[in-house]
Amino acid sequence: MSVLRQKIKEAHADVFVLNTLDDIAWLFNIRGNDVSYNPVATAYALVDESKAVIYIPAEKLTEEVRSYLASQQVLIKDYQQIYNDLGAVSKDKRILLDGSKINQSLFEAITPACAVINHMSPVTLLKSIKNETEISGMRQAMIKDGVALTRFFRWLENAVGSGELTEISIAEKLYDFRAEQANFFGESFGTIAGYAGHGAIVHYKADEQSNAKILPEGILLLDSGGQFFEGTTDITRTITLGNPTPQQKTDFTLVLKGHIGIATAVFPFGTRGSQLDILARKAMWNRHLNYGHGTGHGVGHFLNVHEGPQNIRMDENPVILQPGMFISNEPGLYRTNEYGIRTENLIMVTPDQQSEFGQFLRFETLTLFPIDVNLIDIDLLTKDEIDWLNAYHQEVYDKIAPYLNEIEKKWLKDKTKALSC
């Protein structure tokens, strides 16, 4: 809170209005279940130089949370009271708010004579740079997710020949495997299970009418994530369920080259995500191919799976990448009515080396689950790319295997075996 108050002062403001739920959850270190997939609570907040007030329905707070907030000198008021309190702010006060996110009714409640400073919420940037506790928690969450995914994909391999699996049923089964892990809170978003042509629909969601049967042929794209008390996960894997075509292997390998291009990037401090996006697309652009979504979005710590302000995409974003930021790395390629391919890991910005040219940064890959080598055209990969993939797969095995039984270890060992140049 002291850091936030300093940021408010630097913005030449007196009162800061918060109405973004994940900012409020992070600032007060609370979580809720008011929004599907996002562990946030419906609330507002005001912060000035002497007090912090959270406006939240009284029935949402347990005694434990009340005591905690009181110990942090946080005042608790009724949710609707913020309208009266904003209207009572003296006219000589300057109010800081994020005009791109505040709702109209709250804006209109501000005393008309008050000066309004429209600026990105300082909490948004503070929240994006994770501390050591959050980073440690995220590493634990990735292990849990890797264990659940190992058990799920092994089950899928054995069950796909039954002819009974569907996009909806495998999403439900994946949920069950994640739910077996301690401190599982729920999914971080609705699972995207896109079989064959459905995989080419970027934000596809199966329903009773579209629900396709999963057969032992073709390609399956599975984009999913979990909310654990330790952290938030988001992973996409594309797997072959039969014998892939040469085009499918080429497309998959081009996406993989882009993924590795981001994963291995080294860049000077001050770099923006838009300056790195080409690394994910270059191999595809060389063949006149492309994808129509961003390459990476920020990710919260047991918060929203989509979090700003950082990203990696073609659009310009003035926010620089800083150590401690979590971002997804998810290039893709989509053939309408045929198949979709996406390979997604979560990565973290971390310091690399200091030189006479300044501080350089790199990415650390956090997600722990193998990439389907049966879809790779190894002739399209360089030795450095093969070395990266082999090292990644070795790390996956080393970190996940201790939590598996012998049969599961054998399966994972096979999926992470090294490729030869």
Side-chain angles (χ1 to χ4, degrees), residues 37-50:
Y37 309 119
N38 301 324
V40 296
T42 302
Y44 292 120
L46 291 180
V47 177
D48 62 25
E49 62 181 356
S50 62

Side-chain angles (χ1 to χ4, degrees), residues 164-222:
E164 299 299 319
L165 304 185
T166 68
E167 293 168 328
I168 291 177
S169 72
I170 66 170
E172 291 172 343
K173 189 68 173 180
L174 177 54
Y175 180 97
D176 292 342
F177 277 111
R178 278 199 171 101
E180 292 175 356
Q181 297 297 307
N183 293 334
F184 176 72
F185 187 80
E187 295 174 305
S188 56
F189 58 96
T191 294
I192 300 170
Y195 178 61
H198 289 166
I201 304 170
V202 175
H203 291 115
Y204 172 71
K205 180 175 176 57
D207 56 31
E208 292 301 328
Q209 289 187 326
S210 70
N211 188 23
K213 276 199 171 184
I214 310 296
L215 303 175
E217 61 186 32
I219 282 180
L220 172 68
L221 184 154
L222 193 65

